[in-house]
Amino acid sequence: MRKGKVSFLWDVGSGVGKVEYPHLTIHDGSWHRIEAYRNGLNGTISVYPLEGTKAGMMPTPASANSPSAYTILDVDQNAYLFVGGILGTVKKADAVRTTTFTGCMGETYLDNKPIGLWNYRERQGDCKGCVVSPQRSDSEGTVQLDGEGYAAVGRPTRWNPNISTVTFKFRTFSSEALLMYLATTDMKDFMSLELSEGKVKVTFDLGSGVGTATLPSRHNDGRWKSLTMARNKKQATVTIVDIDSGAEEKIVATSQGSATGLNLKENQKIYFGGLPTIGNYRSEVTLKRYAGCLGDIEVSRTPYNLLSSSDYTGVTKGCSIENLYTVSFSKPGYMELAGLSFALATEISLSFSTLTDTGTILLAVGGASPSSQQPYLSVMLNKGSLEVLVFTGSHSPRRVIRRPEQGILHDGREHSLRIERLAGRSFAVQVDEEAKREAGLPNDQPMSLERLFLGGIPAEVEQTSNRANVPFQGCIWNLMVNAVLSDFSQPVSFENAEIGQCPNLAPIQPLPVLPEEEEEPEEEKEESKSAPPTPAPATPSPGLPTVSDSCASAVPSAVLEKAYQFGLTRNSHMSFAFDDTKVRERLILEFELRTKEESGLVLYMARINHADFVTIQVREGQVCLGYDLGHGNTSGCVPFSINDGNWHKIRMSRSKQRAVLMVDGRYSKQMISPKKADLLDVVGMLYVGGLPQNYTTKRIGPILYSINGCIRNFKMDFNLDMAAPTSSHMVGRCFVSTETGTYFDGTGFLKAVASYRVGLDVSIELEFRTSRTSGVLLAVSNQANDGLGLEINQGKLLFHVDNGAGRITAEHQPEGEGFCDGKWHSVTANKLRHKVELVVDGERSQAESPNVRSNICDTNDPIYVGGYPDGVRQAALSTSTSFRGCMRNLKITKASKTMEVHFNKALEIKGAQPLSCPAAAA
């Protein structure tokens, strides 16, 4: 600010850009909101009066460009963000004329993410509190969810199982998302409201069968809707009212069976906007989280404010889905915007990211009814090449091609594109900060492009313009035409476009492979992250460990040959292709199974529509067979418990309608299918141990998750080699003897929670057994200084917390053999504001920060267990060595709410085997 006027300055490498807001001075003692925005070369600033006579006045934005041709601001997580002034030790840019500010600031955001002004790293001068800045009057009771969060609330105190009502307002562009979900612990009773292709869908089960219905119209148009779901016993009515127009739509769903009550207990949760990563949910319900606004929430006439919940993330006060500049496409779709004139000096710019090498990024066509002779501008990826075509309506299209040899563009990273119409009958294309590429045009006449599409085109344009629709998958954002940003919240039309959303398209990590014993070099490489370089040792003898921090008593884990561990995740499985004609009349299956679990899926094969199927499951500790030959399901269990941790031989034989299931050659169950159908008509693919993530069935009940157990010696009527499956996902090794726990082989990590806020207080409990003197147990950190870490370092157990003002560490030094004794050790780590407390095997140690006011650990980042990925910053660890050993019973408690972390439901698994740990040597 100079002389009361606000200026916005930037430099991206080719000179300073500056724009001053000319219409208003702000040194009048009133609150103002300042919005500054940069895209490429262009900077825009607006100032909104929030108080006084001009309050509510909509500003006229001011904008300017910096010198060409650089467009990317090169900063990283080590850059400083200064608010209210600049530290005297930092050299400022010459163009910045002032270095101090006197006044009040609040509600500060960078790239739409809030900045906690009191959670600073460093400060100079006297900073005090201010009267809160004015809040929007319409935001009371209204919240916005960012598409990555959810909120959980308790059940209303007064709850009638036979009658329930849910009412709320919503406003969104989301096509697929969960609005609300509630369920009993056993998941027999549940209810959900969700968006499916933009349509509201209700699904519920009172314990005797599902009822579901979907409204016919889309309601993801960015306008406020009022939703009421009223259930009376088995019948639920959903009513949607468009608040602006008053248009009403209604649908009725009826549940099956005789049950009439939804028996939600008082301690069970109701979720809005999504579900926690860790948990079991009904398979009918989408796990896609909601991006948009919710307001005026009531359940059974009990009002709820989601921000008063003790369990929420990604939820903020108010609602703002105007001025959206991002759109993403996960399946074929498009978004249409207002057209443009592509005349001389016109400049079009946008950014995109994708993992696919082909797709239409932008297509602008002339005329309301396109034809093959209408002018057009096309931007698309074609097998990795970026092609920009301009057709003026005469002669032939002119093109610029940027080939993948000059750098891959479908790598999931951000890329920018600028297109300029130049004098002298030509146009230029610039990708990222590469040199411009030019091509000639037949004339300099303006091109009237009345329809503009992103991500693809609708079927009617495909037909009338004779242009094939090549759908784009990925994100497109910051579309600017002559320095004016296009507001995606005002589309002409769209389909399957997630407006305002862009998922992380970082390169997909390869599926984890459990290393064999001889893969010691991986351990050495992992060690090098924390150990200083040392001279290369002599070539080690085969089988001897080369890492220096192995416990002297460490011995390799005994592994069973030709036995395979399933259940590492919900979708652990192997698949085997076979000739389906060989099982039509008869089928023989034989294998050995070792498990301690009550339930899980062992195998499944089915027809495309699942009318015919065969499955073997474990239910309540017993082996069960189910099959259908097309005229009705038959199922039965052998009344003998096999979940004792010992090997049991399972044999299933079927001849036409009759089947026999036998355990250990002694216990059996005979079945016969109904009616006269006697042929099994299935696709030639057998799934063993579980099902793939994108494959499901509603024919065999809720036990669709992989069995936590070992399988070996699998045989069918024909050859089946478990060492050479058609495909395999998250299948591990079987240890000779096991105990409860998750095994870490010292090369990887688990990503246990996607996003976690440590905040003021948290308590962490776990048990571990290790064969290393150093290793990461658990860590969470933001990209600044805040973080929490639990680690073993040179035999000591350390608990670090950094609230942003310096690390606090509690230390435990074990006696005797220390943690190399092959025994389980219990750990409780408590963060209490600026204090930390560590309890190891009952022995307590403490530490505290002298900075009492710095008491919040401001993270909103993943929790990693057993290690963390390369390139991820951890502010509260002193070692980067991955943990080797076993871990179990991890619990994280905040505000009296305990989250049990189930390792087999981790978001990412590398070098770890959940639920199965080699037993300690006797």
Side-chain angles (χ1 to χ4, degrees), residues 310-359:
S310 61
D311 181 13
Y312 72 84
T313 180
V315 184
T316 54
K317 185 178 180 180
C319 177
S320 176
I321 61 172
E322 299 85 6
N323 302 322
L324 301 178
Y325 308 117
T326 302
V327 65
S328 63
F329 302 91
S330 58
K331 54 186 178 180
Y334 70 91
M335 180 175 69
E336 181 179 0
L337 299 170
L340 64 117
S341 174
F342 193 42
L344 286 182
T346 299
E347 180 180 314
I348 301 169
S349 64
L350 59 81
S351 298
F352 68 91
S353 63
T354 183
L355 291 168
T356 55
D357 65 358
T358 301

Side-chain angles (χ1 to χ4, degrees), residues 418-738:
R418 291 175 64 213
I419 305 170
E420 297 175 82
R421 184 86 184 265
L422 305 175
R425 298 188 299 179
S426 65
F427 71 99
V429 176
Q430 183 182 23
V431 177
D432 294 333
E433 291 184 335
E434 299 171 1
K436 291 183 180 179
R437 298 168 173 84
E438 295 189 15
L441 289 172
N443 55 59
D444 280 337
Q445 296 300 314
M447 295 166 53
S448 177
L449 305 175
E450 297 184 20
R451 303 185 72 181
L452 189 155
F453 301 94
L454 296 180
I457 56 177
E460 47 100 2
V461 173
E462 187 176 10
Q463 294 166 2
T464 56
S465 65
N466 293 324
R467 296 192 62 83
N469 181 29
V470 185
F472 173 83
Q473 283 194 327
C475 295
I476 301 171
W477 68 96
N478 290 352
L479 172 65
M480 295 184 74
V481 180
N482 293 331
V484 178
L485 270 168
S486 297
D487 185 0
F488 293 174
S489 70
Q490 304 290 329
V492 176
S493 63
F494 68 94
E495 188 170 328
N496 294 329
E498 297 294 333
I499 299 173
Q501 292 295 295
C502 181
N504 181 13
L505 292 180
I508 297 172
Q509 297 292 324
L511 290 174
V513 178
L514 289 165
E516 300 296 331
E517 290 297 321
E518 63 268 16
E519 286 185 308
E520 279 296 314
E522 274 297 309
E523 273 186 20
E524 291 180 15
K525 185 173 72 175
E526 199 70 27
E527 287 295 302
S528 69
K529 291 194 292 187
S530 60
T534 57
T539 303
S541 302
L544 291 178
T546 60
V547 288
S548 60
D549 63 352
S550 290
C551 294
S553 60
V555 294
S557 304
V559 177
L560 283 170
E561 294 294 326
K562 298 183 179 179
Y564 300 88
Q565 171 75 42
F566 297 86
L568 306 191
T569 69
R570 179 184 177 89
N571 297 105
S572 296
H573 72 277
M574 287 181 174
S575 68
F576 300 89
F578 63 92
D579 183 354
D580 54 82
T581 61
K582 294 186 176 181
V583 302
R584 286 173 63 83
E585 293 191 0
R586 61 189 296 272
L587 171 65
I588 297 176
L589 291 165
E590 193 175 285
F591 57 93
E592 292 178 64
L593 173 66
R594 184 184 74 182
T595 186
K596 294 182 179 179
E597 292 299 305
E598 283 284 311
S599 59
L601 181 63
V602 179
L603 65 85
Y604 185 76
M605 64 174 74
R607 196 174 176 177
I608 291 178
N609 62 0
H610 302 275
D612 291 28
F613 71 85
V614 174
T615 186
I616 293 180
Q617 300 167 305
V618 173
R619 293 188 220 145
E620 298 180 347
Q622 298 178 351
V623 179
C624 303
L625 167 68
Y627 65 104
D628 191 333
L629 304 180
H631 283 181
N633 182 15
T634 302
S635 64
C637 304
V638 177
F640 174 74
S641 294
I642 56 97
N643 60 336
D644 55 4
N646 296 318
W647 287 102
H648 294 278
K649 186 173 183 179
I650 315 295
R651 177 183 171 88
M652 173 265 179
S653 60
R654 171 198 146 260
S655 178
K656 296 194 174 181
Q657 291 178 273
R658 296 181 178 274
V660 178
L661 181 65
M662 184 170 289
V663 176
D664 295 336
R666 299 172 57 192
Y667 312 97
S668 65
K669 175 72 174 180
Q670 297 191 34
M671 285 160 269
I672 185 167
S673 62
K675 301 187 179 177
K676 294 183 179 181
D678 59 5
L679 297 179
L680 178 65
D681 185 10
V682 295
V683 175
M685 187 64 71
L686 170 68
Y687 297 105
V688 175
L691 297 174
Q693 191 167 1
N694 58 354
Y695 182 95
T696 190
T697 176
K698 297 181 179 179
R699 296 298 316 280
I700 59 175
I703 303 177
L704 303 174
Y705 44 87
S706 175
I707 182 73
N708 173 20
C710 286
I711 296 175
R712 68 182 181 187
N713 298 335
F714 202 107
K715 301 173 185 175
M716 286 181 69
D717 309 58
F718 44 91
N719 290 333
L720 189 150
D721 184 4
M722 292 193 77
T726 304
S727 68
S728 177
H729 174 66
M730 290 303 296
V731 178
R733 302 169 295 176
C734 290
F735 302 110
V736 172
S737 58
T738 64

